[in-house]
Amino acid sequence: MSAATAVFRNPVHVFRFICGFDAVTRLATIYSRAAVGMEAPLVRVEVHIAGGLPGMTIVGLPETAVREARDRVRAALQSSGFTIPPSRITINLAPADLPKQGSRFDLAIALGILQASGAIEFTPEQFECMAELGLDGSVRGVAGLLPAARACLAAGRRLLIGPDAVDEIRLLPELRIGTGAQLLDLSASLQGERPWPALPAPLRSEPRSVGDLADVRGQLAAKRALEIAAAGGHNLLMFGPPGCGKTMLARRLPGLLPALTATEALELACVESLSPEGFDARRYGWRPVRSPHHTASVAAVIGGGGPRLVPGDASRASYGALILDEMAEFPRGVLEALREPLETGEIHLSRMAHKAVFPARFQLLATLNPCPCGYLGDALRSCRCTQDQVRRYRAKLSGPLLDRIDLQVCVPRLPGEDLMQAPAGEPSVAVAIRVAAARERMQRRQGDINARLDPARGDSALQLAKADRAFLHAAIEKLQISARGLNRILLVARTVADLAGADQIQREHLAEALGFRQFERAA
């Protein structure tokens, strides 16, 4: 009897052989990235193959979609013709204290198993993987790729993605991309057996149709307020009876604004990449306009939601407009949640172990009826509301929130005859030229728009002559405006001066800025 036969007559030795306890331990590390707001921290997908009962375990705070990767990866490998080693496979997503969500780690797990088992050989340190696997071995794109792509570019690695995600990544032309329709094709390219497939031509941004300001007849005060808001990036509240043109005016703001800078467009694309709808290359470079319904929740407007923190309308409106139509109909919690973003330009979300920061550099354009029925002060229809109803209705807008709205203008109803005889208004193109010139003055002077200046720093552009300072303080005392409201009036006056081409704020600029605090006086 041979020695080998004697060994396998021992039941313990047979069990150890079947279970693979005598197998050589193998380890592979593949790079991927998690999604934490606008950040994409590096995740090391460590695959350990050793003796033990056959099985696959994923550790490192994986959530449901990550744990389900075991079944997706197993089916994808088998459909691609690879053999899964009959051993104990342990997958660690490091750092272990960082929560992991989504299906973005599928490709990294599969390549880690193939590398550790010796089925393929490549240099993992040169690549990062961000793709989902189908049960048939297909490679698919995942949400939130653009922030991870920016981090991958900074690290100097090639990013492996699904072919349906190429349009989004093409916004970073310096980034090296690797893709393949099937896991088998991608594996062959990794080993140099075939070249990387050519990338399709990028989608071009489609032209955008924006309403013209000339369509709005009359309402000269509201148009002037909209021009000032566009030039300085100020928040605007328009109040008046139903049907007077408030919403129509608000939706024409994008036609007055200059084109996004490359940095702004890329940051906005990153936000859209993380949103539930995903990035649309055909809208790249558009000034966003978000108009949530008044039944929207705090999570829908501010952000958050389920296990994956996603940006809300406030973040997706960055460098554009957030329109709150019938502002008083929104839940008070939604309105109060906007106070901090209006001041800081950022939204900080915290949900248990999840924390994220999103940009929120939006302009708030709000419309409001003067009372619940909408006809308080209307010359054509009488109001049906009691004083108590009007008081409760307006109390939905807190003082701190109104302080952050720089321009408050009444939009009255025009009689039908006046409306028909009113000449066509100034076109958006003419107003946009003045807005662009004013913004150019701001950029040369301080490198940003006026709404983001801090008057507390004592900027010389906000200094007043002694007589003008006395005039302003007298007006503040009479109107009982807070310190924050005073700062906002100074910023609006600075914008009025920029539109007029003046180097210093003068009394007429202050008077016009004070004239746009109409809702506080009406209340």
Side-chain angles (χ1 to χ4, degrees):
M1 182 175 61
S2 66
T5 305
V7 168
F8 281 105
R9 282 186 174 180
N10 187 330
V12 175
H13 291 167
V14 173
F15 178 79
R16 290 175 62 86
F17 177 79
I18 293 174
C19 294
F21 288 141
D22 295 326
V24 177
T25 299
R26 288 159 290 181
L27 179 67
T29 300
I30 309 295
Y31 294 136
S32 186
R33 292 192 180 269
V36 183
M38 298 291 286
E39 303 296 325
L42 186 68
V43 173
R44 291 175 172 84
V45 181
E46 301 169 342
V47 179
H48 181 266
I49 300 179
L53 291 173
M56 187 184 301
T57 304
I58 300 178
V59 297
L61 283 185
E63 295 194 347
T64 303
V66 183
R67 291 195 297 269
E68 292 172 346
R70 295 174 300 184
D71 301 314
R72 291 194 298 270
V73 169
R74 184 182 300 277
L77 290 174
Q78 291 174 344
S79 298
S80 302
F82 294 107
T83 301
I84 301 176
S87 306
R88 183 67 180 173
I89 303 175
T90 304
I91 300 159
N92 178 43
L93 307 179
D97 59 346
L98 177 69
K100 321 297 189 308
Q101 308 99 23
S103 57
R104 59 177 55 207
F105 305 107
D106 288 9
L107 180 59
I109 292 172
L111 293 180
I113 293 174
L114 295 176
Q115 175 80 351
S117 64
I120 64 173
E121 292 185 3
F122 67 104
T123 309
E125 295 80 8
Q126 299 177 359
F127 301 91
E128 293 185 13
C129 306
M130 294 278 293
E132 177 184 326
L133 292 180
L135 301 185
D136 58 350
S138 58
V139 184
R140 302 169 181 168
V142 294
L145 269 182
L146 201 50
R150 296 175 71 180
C152 180
L153 176 61
R157 301 188 183 97
R158 181 188 292 269
L159 183 62
L160 305 182
I161 58 174
D164 53 343
V166 170
D167 286 331
E168 182 175 340
I169 305 303
R170 293 293 291 274
L171 298 179
L172 302 171
E174 303 87 359
L175 178 64
R176 295 176 297 151
I177 302 172
T179 186
Q182 294 288 323
L183 177 61
L184 192 61
D185 301 332
L186 196 147
S187 302
S189 298
L190 273 175
Q191 298 181 95
E193 297 175 359
R194 66 175 66 178
W196 293 104
L199 299 178
L203 289 177
R204 295 185 177 273
S205 177
E206 294 180 350
R208 184 180 189 179
S209 176
V210 180
D212 199 299
L213 200 59
D215 299 335
V216 184
R217 294 180 178 270
Q219 307 297 3
L220 298 182
K223 290 180 180 179
R224 174 62 174 171
L226 191 65
E227 178 180 345
I228 296 172
H234 303 288
N235 303 315
L236 171 63
L237 169 64
M238 293 179 283
F239 64 99
C244 59
K246 304 185 296 292
T247 305
M248 189 177 183
L249 282 162
R251 294 191 177 278
R252 275 146 180 78
L253 177 70
L256 309 182
L257 298 175
L260 290 171
T261 66
T263 302
E264 292 171 344
L266 186 58
E267 180 177 309
L268 187 59
C270 288
V271 173
E272 287 298 314
S273 175
L274 294 164
S275 69
E277 291 86 353
F279 172 75
D280 186 352
R282 295 168 298 182
R283 299 188 177 190
Y284 179 67
W286 287 15
R287 289 272 183 182
V289 176
R290 304 294 301 178
S291 183
H293 192 261
H294 64 262
T295 58
S297 64
V298 175
V301 177
I302 300 300
R308 184 170 71 91
L309 295 180
V310 296
D313 284 319
S315 294
R316 298 179 66 185
S318 291
Y319 307 111
L322 177 66
I323 300 177
L324 299 187
D325 206 7
E326 300 301 334
M327 187 180 187
E329 300 298 335
F330 280 79
R332 187 180 178 92
V334 173
L335 299 180
E336 294 304 305
L338 289 173
R339 283 165 49 178
E340 182 180 354
L342 285 171
E343 195 76 22
T344 64
E346 291 183 336
I347 289 178
H348 296 257
L349 299 176
S350 181
R351 303 288 188 274
M352 297 291 288
H354 305 276
K355 296 182 184 296
V357 179
F358 292 106
R361 292 180 173 269
F362 60 89
Q363 277 185 257
L364 177 63
L365 296 186
T367 69
L368 183 69
N369 288 334
C371 66
C373 77
Y375 297 104
L376 180 64
D378 189 8
L380 302 181
R381 294 187 61 174
S382 58
C383 175
R384 305 188 304 270
C385 306
T386 65
Q387 290 185 354
D388 190 49
Q389 288 175 324
V390 175
R391 188 162 44 250
R392 285 200 305 269
Y393 180 77
R394 296 193 176 189
K396 295 180 180 180
L397 307 184
S398 65
L401 179 61
L402 286 174
D403 266 351
R404 291 167 168 83
I405 301 179
D406 309 343
L407 301 163
Q408 304 161 15
V409 59
C410 178
V411 185
R413 180 199 299 274
L414 297 178
E417 185 177 350
D418 294 348
L419 189 63
M420 296 298 294
Q421 294 178 354
E426 193 175 16
S428 294
V429 174
V431 179
I433 293 174
R434 294 197 297 269
V435 168
R439 287 205 171 200
E440 187 178 350
R441 289 175 61 88
M442 299 172 200
Q443 291 295 329
R444 286 200 308 266
R445 184 177 60 242
Q446 72 246 6
D448 207 344
I449 56 178
N450 288 336
R452 297 175 194 153
L453 281 178
D454 184 6
R457 294 183 307 188
D459 196 309
S460 60
L462 300 176
Q463 298 302 314
L464 302 175
K466 185 176 181 180
D468 295 335
R469 194 160 49 245
F471 165 78
L472 177 60
H473 282 290
I476 294 299
E477 290 293 331
K478 182 177 181 180
L479 299 176
Q480 298 181 349
I481 296 176
S482 68
R484 183 187 290 112
L486 169 61
N487 290 339
R488 298 287 181 173
I489 289 171
L490 278 174
L491 297 179
V492 172
R494 179 65 264 176
T495 301
V496 174
D498 286 327
L499 285 168
D503 293 329
Q504 187 175 11
I505 300 175
Q506 300 170 4
R507 181 170 300 193
E508 57 265 28
H509 307 144
L510 289 171
E512 186 172 4
L514 285 164
F516 284 119
R517 307 291 294 191
Q518 298 174 11
F519 186 78
E520 292 173 334
R521 296 202 298 271

